[in-house]
Amino acid sequence: MRKIIIAGNWKMNKAFSEAEDFMVELTDFLNVKKLGKVEVVVCSPSPYLEMASDFASENRVFIGAQNVNENDFGAYTGEISASMLASMEIDYCIIGHSERRKYYHETDDLINSKLKKLQEFEVVPILCIGETLEEREKGITEQVILSQLTKTLTNIKINNDLVIAYEPVWAIGTGRTATPQQAQEIHFLIRKWISEKFSSEISNSISILYGGSMKPENIRELLHQPDIDGGLIGGASLDIEKFKAMINTAVEL
Ligand code: PGA
């Protein structure tokens, strides 16, 4: 049975006290909740990871980082290594997010190196892929997705230690969501590719999340699709009430 993952991606938001208040409210809520196969993840800014992971050890929320460096250690000012994340017992790390590809020029090759490092230190990668509006309008969405998968997963072995997030770039932070059918089409394509490249067992057990303006109003329909196993949620995850509402919907399905 695949996990349904509801993951908040706070990006570069919240003051420390706001982050702490959010974690208190979230864990109070989760303590009295039957989650079933739903897993809740908060991807916090790096300086708050330690605080957030203190909540994780007591409660049922998992913590993710938003970035990692591809090197082991050394003179890389401002960077964080996979071994550091592992030493803080961080469970997940987002890689390949379109904002990192766009603003920090991250390539599929670099993302592949980051993925290998995370696996080496047993931090589960949340690998983001997705097409731009221009690519969708040109009708090359499938090609783009398959190329990103092929390059980022070159020479990678996977068991259940990988989460994929399909995030159409045109839907991120724009309020414009892919229709459930548009998303399902690509999720199916991803699962089929994983099955061919790895095995059907792996493709059936891997969680593929949707990301891009997911919110309480549209999460139900998206999660109803057979190949959508949760969400990577930006804007709407900053608001504790919205985040709780989305967890409730996932649990009810
Ligand atoms: P959004 O962001 O929900 O604000 O569109 C999603 C993401 O970038 O992971």
Side-chain angles (χ1 to χ4, degrees):
M1 187 63 88
R2 289 199 291 271
K3 277 190 280 196
I4 301 295
I5 299 178
I6 300 298
N9 173 12
W10 287 354
K11 308 191 181 183
M12 197 173 72
N13 290 294
K14 290 191 185 295
F16 183 80
S17 62
E18 291 168 339
E20 212 171 20
D21 290 349
F22 185 104
M23 293 307 297
V24 170
E25 271 207 61
L26 179 63
T27 47
D28 283 352
F29 166 75
L30 293 176
N31 272 342
V32 292
K33 186 112 209 126
K34 274 212 173 70
L35 288 172
K37 58 181 180 172
V38 174
E39 192 169 298
V40 178
V41 180
V42 171
C43 298
S44 91
S46 319
Y48 308 158
L49 284 171
E50 193 190 347
M51 174 278 288
S53 66
D54 284 347
F55 287 91
S57 54
E58 289 167 23
N59 295 293
R60 295 183 300 154
V61 55
F62 294 80
I63 304 301
Q66 298 176 12
N67 186 29
V68 70
N69 186 274
E70 68 281 15
N71 294 291
D72 279 325
F73 56 85
Y76 301 98
T77 302
E79 293 292 291
I80 310 169
S81 68
S83 65
M84 290 176 181
L85 297 178
S87 71
M88 291 167 74
E89 296 178 9
I90 299 302
D91 310 287
Y92 289 96
C93 181
I94 298 172
I95 50 171
H97 193 281
S98 65
E99 286 149 16
R100 299 231 37 111
R101 292 176 190 258
K102 182 175 172 194
Y103 302 128
Y104 304 98
H105 316 292
E106 294 196 3
T107 61
D108 286 322
D109 283 351
L110 177 70
I111 295 159
N112 175 263
S113 307
K114 292 185 176 200
L115 208 155
K116 286 179 182 149
K117 267 303 152 211
L118 289 173
Q119 286 192 323
E120 189 182 327
F121 288 94
E122 296 180 1
V123 179
V124 179
I126 301 178
L127 169 65
C128 301
I129 53 175
E131 81 288 3
T132 62
L133 183 59
E134 200 188 345
E135 289 162 342
R136 178 159 281 267
E137 284 172 348
K138 273 197 203 148
I140 56 167
T141 299
E142 298 199 356
Q143 270 161 265
V144 170
I145 296 299
L146 295 180
S147 155
Q148 288 176 341
L149 284 172
T150 306
K151 291 181 186 157
T152 55
L153 295 176
T154 295
N155 295 326
I156 300 278
K157 283 202 192 96
I158 53 174
N159 298 312
N160 289 341
D161 50 355
L162 176 70
V163 173
I164 296 180
Y166 167 55
E167 300 207 306
V169 179
W170 47 272
I172 297 179
T174 58
R176 200 176 150 187
T177 321
T179 64
Q181 293 68 29
Q182 280 173 327
Q184 167 57 25
E185 233 170 67
I186 303 301
H187 281 238
F188 176 77
L189 177 81
I190 296 169
R191 203 175 304 283
K192 185 161 156 273
W193 185 88
I194 299 280
S195 168
E196 286 162 8
K197 170 93 180 159
F198 298 95
S199 71
S200 57
E201 212 184 342
I202 290 174
S203 90
N204 282 328
S205 62
I206 207 164
S207 298
I208 308 177
L209 317 186
Y210 168 80
S213 300
M214 199 182 231
K215 50 191 177 223
E217 295 80 0
N218 61 25
I219 190 170
R220 186 179 301 273
E221 262 201 286
L222 286 158
L223 294 187
H224 260 125
Q225 301 303 311
D227 290 300
I228 301 185
D229 312 308
L232 182 58
I233 305 152
S237 77
L238 294 171
D239 180 325
I240 184 68
E241 293 310 324
K242 290 185 183 169
F243 199 52
K244 287 199 286 197
M246 291 186 282
I247 295 167
N248 276 334
T249 303
V251 170
E252 282 160 19
L253 283 175

